[in-house]
Amino acid sequence: MSVILLEHTAAEVMGLWGRMKTYYGGAWAKMLAAADLYNHDFSNLENTVPEGVDIHSPSTASSVIDVFRDNVRVDVLVPSRDDWGITKKAREAKALLLRLDNYIIKQFRNQSPVDPFAQAAFDMPLRGAGAWRLGYDKARWPEAAPNHTEEEHERFRAERAMSFPITVIPIDPLSIAPAPGGAWPLPWCIEYRKLSVDEVRHTYPDWPLSKTYEGGGATPIGVYEFWEAPSTSTTNGLHIVVADGLEALHEVNPFGVVPYVFEYSGWGRLNYDNDPATLAVNLLEKAESEIRAEARLKTAMDAAWQFTVFPRL
């Protein structure tokens, strides 16, 4: 039996996401408001101005975030390790581990569609939080065949030497709901995202609608992914995926941990009511009123100028 899910059904997984939307609602509302400012979306002013008046969309918010990103250098990360000793062997061991660290950072970047470090530097000031999903790609770490020859063994070792199976994928904090109050390692986590039908078919071949779905291959559908760590009530934890309302995967957690990392920006504080909104603080929320006032003021000034210089009949 699962800790958070009693019957571990598709309906329960989707219901859990609904409850988490309520819990994280305040934090997510602030994230969406900041996104509107960054994307110059001031459509809420359309009903407050006369027809034909163009709304001025200030670039203040995007400038603040972009300047922050430009000053956080993630293109050159320098790993650091404590000294093991003063002997030559200890220094050589440290140097070897630092080379390994740099190789791992490079692989994390190469195997992700977006640089996970760069997106973290973007999400922290804009969203007030950042998240990664960790993965293991079996195709990148081949297993040796039973009774293999010495030649096959050498080829197998060579393939592994050129491969790195661990992946790090950045996740939008709006699409992930970690266990409330949980620090890493998380007891459980649920993620919601949109995938195309073809992606679901390829990733989850046992999905009941894999061969009968009537929509096109590029049609986006909702996918819920639930992970649970081992606990006293379930030996190995659970991994459940629900696509378009139907269970696409149900297995024992193959990792033994919940493969997500979730961190707040550090500009908030833990409040007495444990509301995530006080933790997910972004750089724009304190200036939201001024930025929206700037849009209203410059819209009015621009309209006054146009009606004065080009009076209407």
Side-chain angles (χ1 to χ4, degrees), residues 6 17 19 25 51 71 90 95 110 128 137 170 172 180 188 223 263 276 280:
L6 297 178
W17 178 256
R19 297 197 300 275
E51 184 179 355
N71 284 277
N110 291 342
D137 189 349
D172 189 340
W188 58 266
V223 176
E263 291 288 342

Side-chain angles (χ1 to χ4, degrees), residues 69 74 109 114-123:
R69 294 172 65 192
V74 295
R109 286 192 162 119
V114 177
D115 185 336
F117 305 104
Q119 178 145 337
F122 190 11
D123 284 345

